[in-house]
Amino acid sequence: QSVLTQPPSVSGAPGQRVTISCTGSSSNIGAGYDVHWYQQLPGAAPKLLIYGNSNRPSGVPDRFSGSRSGTSASLAITGLRAEDEGDYYCQSYGSSLSALYVFGTGTKVTVL
Amino acid sequence: EVQLVESGGGLVQPGGSLRLSCTVSGLTFSSYWMNWVRQAPGKGLEWVANINQDGTEKYYLDSVKGRFTISRDNAKNSLSLQMNGLRAEDTAIYYCARVRYTYGHHDYWGQGTLVTVSS
């Protein structure tokens, strides 16, 4: 079960900016654990997009940015492109023996 | 080039068993925690189990405790997941993934292997 809440979908026209929220609790994000973001294109495995709240792995365009505050985090995509269409997931550490790593519910990004 | 390649998925009846494998190349396998993450059809990602560098620490999602066993063979750069007592709700694509640090992110993923539990 997902304990990080994301909006089911966001959409935008090419070139626009969209943001995806990720809401947790004092047991995960609010406990100070880092938030990471993954992009999953149709039919593909997840790919790391942002790690440690705001860091981009090599090769990820600077159109993608992340931030964390309190019990929440957000991912912003600027200059939206057709190839950004897919599912996006946040992830943190759960600090609970029932589920050590927790993922968000996922957000479908649609480019209009 | 880093590669994680899963195998062993398939169709199994409820109550049956499967053993998944993940062969890793291009990185120092023995230096990192490794995770199994699954994704049910049309659903989100769910952490299943993880194991530390030398295999002495293992943790599981509550719903798979007592049924699944994670293991690794550092000499063969291989990660495994033994799944017993399979249920319909275990139907999913299973991914192996490297964890960059204990509380951290999954930086490398395999392509996944599909497990279908159905009669």
Side-chain angles (χ1 to χ4, degrees):
Chain A
Q1 66 274 7
S2 302
V3 296
L4 303 181
T5 303
Q6 300 177 230
S9 64
V10 299
S11 61
Q16 284 191 329
R17 179 180 187 269
V18 297
T19 61
I20 301 170
S21 60
C22 173
T23 302
S25 70
S26 58
S27 299
N28 38 69
I29 300 174
Y33 294 110
D34 287 338
V35 178
H36 321 289
W37 292 89
Y38 304 88
Q39 177 192 60
Q40 188 175 33
L41 300 178
K47 170 193 167 186
L48 180 65
L49 198 63
I50 296 287
Y51 68 94
N53 306 310
S54 59
N55 302 291
R56 285 185 307 276
S58 173
V60 173
D62 60 7
R63 303 186 294 105
F64 296 92
S65 62
S67 64
R68 184 192 82 180
S69 178
T71 58
S72 297
S74 65
L75 174 73
I77 310 174
T78 58
L80 197 61
R81 303 176 68 161
E83 57 260 40
D84 298 333
E85 193 161 283
D87 296 319
Y88 292 76
Y89 295 91
C90 58
Q91 178 244 309
S92 187
Y93 189 73
S95 69
S96 162
L97 289 181
S98 63
L100 288 185
Y101 297 84
V102 290
F103 287 90
T105 49
T107 298
K108 168 71 175 175
V109 170
T110 300
V111 181
L112 301 172
Chain B
E1 179 192 8
V2 175
Q3 282 195 314
L4 288 75
V5 180
E6 300 95 337
S7 59
L11 174 63
V12 61
Q13 293 188 339
S17 299
L18 274 179
R19 185 177 182 86
L20 306 184
S21 295
C22 171
T23 301
V24 179
S25 60
L27 55 82
T28 311
F29 178 73
S30 60
S31 296
Y32 297 94
W33 284 77
M34 294 294 297
N35 281 9
W36 285 99
V37 176
R38 68 184 179 184
Q39 185 171 35
K43 302 297 184 182
L45 301 170
E46 181 178 54
W47 169 78
V48 175
N50 71 344
I51 187 168
N52 72 337
Q53 291 88 336
D54 63 4
T56 57
E57 292 184 55
K58 305 175 185 181
Y59 300 95
Y60 300 92
L61 180 69
D62 267 358
S63 61
V64 309
K65 282 178 184 173
R67 300 188 298 122
F68 290 11
T69 302
I70 189 172
S71 61
R72 67 190 297 162
D73 184 337
N74 287 340
K76 296 182 178 179
N77 283 4
S78 176
L79 177 73
S80 296
L81 186 68
Q82 177 66 42
M83 303 186 296
N84 300 328
L86 283 162
R87 305 167 180 167
E89 53 265 35
D90 296 319
T91 294
I93 296 174
Y94 285 74
Y95 298 99
C96 63
R98 184 182 85 162
V99 183
R100 192 62 179 87
Y101 55 93
T102 306
Y103 308 131
H105 54 281
H106 303 73
D107 55 356
Y108 293 108
W109 296 69
Q111 85 288 350
T113 187
L114 177 62
V115 172
T116 303
V117 184
S118 174
S119 55

